[in-house]
Amino acid sequence: MKAVVERLVQEHSLTKQDLISLLSCCDSATFSYLRQEATRIARQRFGFGIFLRGLIEVSSYCRNDCFYCGLRRSNRSAERYRLSDEQILRCCEDGYRAGLRTFVLQGGEDGAFTDARLERLIGSIKHLYADAAITLSLGERSVESLARLRRAGADRYLLRHEAADATLYAALHPSDMSYSNRLQTIEQLKELGFQTGVGMMVGVPHQSVESLAEDLLYISRVQPQMIGIGPFIPHRQTPFAQSQAGDVRLTLMVMAIARLLAPKALIPATTALATLSNEGVRQGVLSGANVVMPNISPLEVRGKYDIYEGKSQAYNQNIESVKRLGAELESIGYHIDLSRGDF
Ligand code: SAH
């Protein structure tokens, strides 16, 4: 297996068969070697700095019905909320004061966030905090809509592809959601000049090692600027309520492979990883991650952006803990980098 990892490091690519062998291999020597190389490659480009992104969960309303997500429209017991522009701007104000220079507006696909409203909001944020980047993560929108948001000043867009394998995609989403539309939207984001993020969950029901290999090949082909990879965590009010959570070790392995396939990408240690493991942030960084996204949503809505079980208690994911995060990173020789951290 060492030779396979060496090939990955040298060539930044692997065949599907090699990816499958690597993902199926569970010896700890290969695991450590892979992570060691992933962190070495990340440090070559980024040093020991870890970028912060302030995550604002703007709405828990969603028109979609993804089988894995607690915000799915069929979940009648979900508590729905939507932040006002004033609330969002207050989050940015607090975040900016804490040193954050990227604001990520994430939410369900909520029709109340019209293009006109988002244009105004993006304009206000850019006017007040000209040196900050805006990342949107609002699901699929038309190319016209995305073009307007880009023109209004949004810099980046996160839209996880969720599954590069069409059969798996169909097993995770209702039939009114389309695999080809998802991938096409990602292409459009790139063409519009967004720094674009893709990604997937690890350990989601019906996912095989082959499908994970497909995801990694997709990442290698697209060379996205950002890659979000986190473990799947079941939510009680979804069809996957009885499924097991994704494996932390496999998640770290997939992150390390993604780092080696896309050496320049911005890769977060995700909230889902931190939810499953108190060590999530550090373990993520030690697998090649170089971004952490503290949650800066208003405290009163924190529990309601309930995409998976235990999320609201996620350790280390809020603005109050930026200092603690700094100490945590320092314990493994890293530090917080408060610059914008563009690709
Ligand atoms: N509506 C937006 C944002 C979705 S939330 C969009 O469609 O892009 C961001 C990510 O959380 C999703 O892309 C998904 O990969 C992840 N997610 C959703 N449910 C999850 C679960 N149960 N466990 C782990 N991650 C989950």
Side-chain angles (χ1 to χ4, degrees):
M1 270 307 134
K2 189 157 189 215
V4 173
V5 180
E6 272 163 7
R7 203 149 59 237
L8 174 58
V9 174
Q10 298 293 316
E11 298 168 14
H12 304 311
S13 73
L14 273 189
T15 63
K16 184 169 177 189
Q17 200 43 58
D18 277 343
L19 284 168
I20 292 173
S21 319
L22 196 52
L23 289 165
S24 322
C25 136
C26 45
D27 72 276
S28 53
T30 306
F31 183 59
S32 336
Y33 182 50
L34 189 61
R35 295 178 78 200
Q36 177 197 312
E37 289 303 280
T39 47
R40 188 175 64 76
I41 293 295
R43 278 180 216 140
Q44 253 175 27
R45 184 164 180 92
F46 303 102
F48 288 87
I50 302 296
F51 298 118
L52 296 190
R53 306 341 190 166
L55 179 64
I56 309 171
E57 295 163 334
V58 298
S59 174
S60 69
Y61 285 91
C62 192
R63 68 165 74 94
N64 279 340
D65 217 18
C66 308
F67 299 155
Y68 44 83
C69 181
L71 298 184
R72 64 200 307 267
R73 66 166 184 262
S74 303
N75 180 6
R76 306 266 173 250
S77 50
E79 284 189 71
R80 307 290 174 174
Y81 73 90
R82 153 181 319 125
L83 298 183
S84 66
D85 289 4
E86 292 65 37
Q87 283 176 302
I88 295 170
L89 289 170
R90 222 171 299 130
C91 295
C92 295
E93 187 185 337
D94 292 345
Y96 193 87
R97 213 178 297 126
L100 302 179
R101 292 296 178 269
T102 293
F103 302 115
V104 181
L105 274 45
Q106 184 172 84
E109 294 197 9
D110 177 357
F113 281 86
T114 60
D115 296 341
R117 177 174 170 192
L118 284 168
E119 280 172 338
R120 267 199 315 277
L121 181 59
I122 292 164
S124 306
I125 299 174
K126 282 284 172 172
H127 175 71
L128 290 163
Y129 312 109
D131 60 339
I134 299 180
T135 304
L136 301 177
S137 179
L138 301 169
E140 293 169 36
R141 302 177 73 94
S142 70
V143 66
E144 294 77 21
S145 165
L146 295 171
R148 285 178 65 173
L149 304 181
R150 176 84 186 110
R151 275 198 302 276
D155 304 278
R156 311 179 184 142
Y157 205 106
L158 302 173
L159 186 71
R160 290 190 179 180
H161 65 284
E162 311 294 0
D165 165 354
T167 315
L168 177 59
Y169 188 92
L172 302 179
H173 300 98
S175 54
D176 62 356
M177 286 183 71
S178 136
Y179 166 78
S180 53
N181 194 56
R182 191 96 182 161
L183 298 194
Q184 193 189 4
T185 307
I186 291 170
E187 282 309 309
Q188 289 164 342
L189 288 167
K190 289 173 56 185
E191 280 160 22
L192 289 167
F194 281 101
Q195 293 173 50
T196 302
V198 306
M200 68 284 180
M201 292 169 276
V202 173
V204 75
H206 310 293
Q207 185 182 57
S208 60
V209 173
E210 285 77 7
S211 32
L212 272 177
E214 290 285 353
D215 287 322
L216 288 164
L217 289 172
Y218 173 77
I219 286 170
S220 171
R221 203 163 55 240
V222 173
Q223 289 293 319
Q225 284 87 11
M226 302 170 286
I227 308 171
I229 297 171
F232 161 74
I233 304 175
H235 185 287
R236 65 205 173 284
Q237 304 289 347
T238 64
F240 295 159
Q242 304 305 323
S243 305
Q244 282 203 334
D247 182 62
V248 169
R249 190 175 184 276
L250 182 61
T251 306
L252 295 172
M253 181 128 168
V254 174
M255 288 170 68
I257 299 174
R259 163 58 68 210
L260 294 170
L261 289 171
K264 298 184 217 159
L266 294 146
I267 303 182
T270 59
T271 309
L273 185 61
T275 301
L276 285 190
S277 161
N278 285 341
E279 288 274 297
V281 170
R282 273 178 288 189
Q283 293 305 319
V285 168
L286 293 175
S287 293
N290 65 328
V291 171
V292 181
M293 299 169 69
N295 192 331
I296 59 168
S297 306
L299 286 173
E300 62 270 23
V301 304
R302 264 319 154 77
K304 300 183 192 165
Y305 194 78
D306 190 21
I307 52 182
Y308 48 76
E309 225 64 47
K311 176 175 167 297
S312 49
Q313 290 89 40
Y315 167 69
N316 220 338
Q317 295 289 330
N318 54 57
I319 199 167
E320 304 79 21
S321 63
V322 167
K323 276 209 189 97
R324 193 176 61 206
L325 183 63
E328 204 177 325
L329 292 172
E330 273 160 32
S331 74
I332 51 168
Y334 285 76
H335 59 265
I336 289 173
D337 181 339
L338 286 173
S339 61
R340 244 177 75 132
D342 283 291
F343 180 75

